[in-house]
Amino acid sequence: AQTVTQSQPEMSVQEAETVTLSCTYDTSENNYYLFWYKQPPSRQMILVIRQEAYKQQNATENRFSVNFQKAAKSFSLKISDSQLGDTAMYFCAWYGGATNKLIFGTGTLLAVQP
Amino acid sequence: EPEVTQTPSHQVTQMGQEVILRCVPISNHLYFYWYRQILGQKVEFLVSFYNNEISEKSEIFDDQFSVERPDGSNFTLKIRSTKLEDSAMYFCASSEYVGATNEQFFGPGTRLTVL
């Protein structure tokens, strides 16, 4: 069975600084996808970034980028130039195999301090 | 921009009562999902639905749960006899196709409190 682990329950960063959120996963599948979702206080889950496992190049979306290490089964999220609006819970998620479901980690609560 | 909507935002019920949580997926989406998040815990998959039938369900989704698409727009989750441990945030999601290239769009959630 697939598992997703986020070992940082809470993190804090100063506005305009860079922060990295960690995620590791376990799977025996070769084809899968990894995601970072953001859940702000409004509770709506918003997709931040997606990575296809077969792509070696790390995904980037504006200030958000990932460091995908397939052999190490590691998928970290880097947020550059942190903004107050980045304050949220961040979930790492796995998708693949014969299933249609997303498998989530326990989340990291990120607080951006002014 | 189209979005998934859910009603009510908060539902309080007594243990043993039936509740129906409602969702309106994005109109051209064909796949629908329910997830739940017990306070302080991770988001867990409950069920996926396609072509008017369940395509996948988790071990959480027992006989107390059912889903339905009663018309062309709504997607509902019914809990027949609620338990205290059903208290959670319930998220509906939809996607146009299956496959990870097709994003699952989430609604804002319904907070269910069972007393």
Side-chain angles (χ1 to χ4, degrees):
Chain A
Q2 283 66 232
T3 58
V4 177
T5 302
Q6 293 178 250
S7 58
Q8 304 154 314
E10 295 184 28
M11 291 194 72
S12 181
V13 64
Q14 293 295 121
E15 201 175 2
E17 297 292 306
T18 295
V19 64
T20 298
L21 309 183
S22 301
C23 173
T24 58
Y25 60 93
D26 190 25
T27 183
S28 57
E29 298 285 344
N30 275 324
N31 296 318
Y32 54 90
Y33 299 79
L34 295 160
F35 305 85
W36 280 98
Y37 277 87
K38 171 184 176 181
Q39 187 184 41
S42 65
R43 307 294 296 188
Q44 189 119 20
M45 299 271 283
I46 303 163
L47 180 63
V48 174
I49 199 164
R50 163 187 20 231
Q51 174 79 42
E52 292 88 345
Y54 62 85
K55 287 188 177 177
Q56 292 186 334
Q57 186 173 7
N58 289 322
T60 299
E61 289 285 344
N62 301 314
R63 298 183 295 107
F64 299 88
S65 61
V66 299
N67 182 5
F68 173 49
Q69 302 290 328
K70 190 172 183 180
K73 295 181 180 173
S74 170
F75 181 62
S76 60
L77 174 70
K78 185 170 83 170
I79 306 174
S80 304
D81 185 26
S82 298
Q83 300 175 1
L84 295 178
D86 295 334
T87 292
M89 181 73 88
Y90 286 82
F91 291 98
C92 178
W94 181 98
Y95 179 103
T99 181
N100 291 334
K101 64 186 179 188
L102 288 162
I103 296 173
F104 287 88
T106 50
T108 295
L109 181 60
L110 176 67
V112 180
Q113 307 291 344
Chain B
E1 187 173 333
E3 58 183 20
V4 177
T5 59
Q6 290 185 244
T7 55
S9 57
H10 190 190
Q11 172 95 45
V12 181
T13 189
Q14 295 291 325
M15 190 170 57
Q17 295 296 303
E18 174 184 285
V19 294
I20 297 176
L21 310 183
R22 302 180 192 280
C23 168
V24 179
I26 294 173
S27 62
N28 64 329
H29 285 188
L30 301 176
Y31 296 84
F32 315 114
Y33 313 83
W34 284 101
Y35 291 83
R36 81 170 185 192
Q37 183 183 27
I38 295 172
L39 186 64
Q41 299 185 23
K42 62 181 168 183
V43 177
E44 301 173 291
F45 170 80
L46 290 177
V47 66
S48 60
F49 190 86
Y50 168 69
N51 199 26
N52 279 320
E53 61 182 29
I54 291 172
S55 50
E56 187 174 359
K57 61 182 181 179
S58 72
E59 59 274 10
I60 302 168
F61 194 88
D62 61 21
D63 292 343
Q64 292 299 310
F65 292 89
S66 62
V67 289
E68 191 179 31
R69 189 153 163 83
D71 52 42
S73 60
N74 289 284
F75 178 52
T76 62
L77 173 69
K78 182 194 290 187
I79 309 175
R80 289 191 183 82
S81 178
T82 49
K83 307 184 186 87
L84 295 176
E85 54 265 36
D86 293 328
S87 292
M89 183 72 90
Y90 288 81
F91 293 99
C92 173
S94 70
S95 63
E96 191 172 1
Y97 306 107
V98 290
T101 53
N102 288 281
E103 179 183 346
Q104 291 186 23
F105 289 81
F106 283 78
T110 292
R111 180 176 299 283
L112 175 65
T113 302
V114 182
L115 302 177

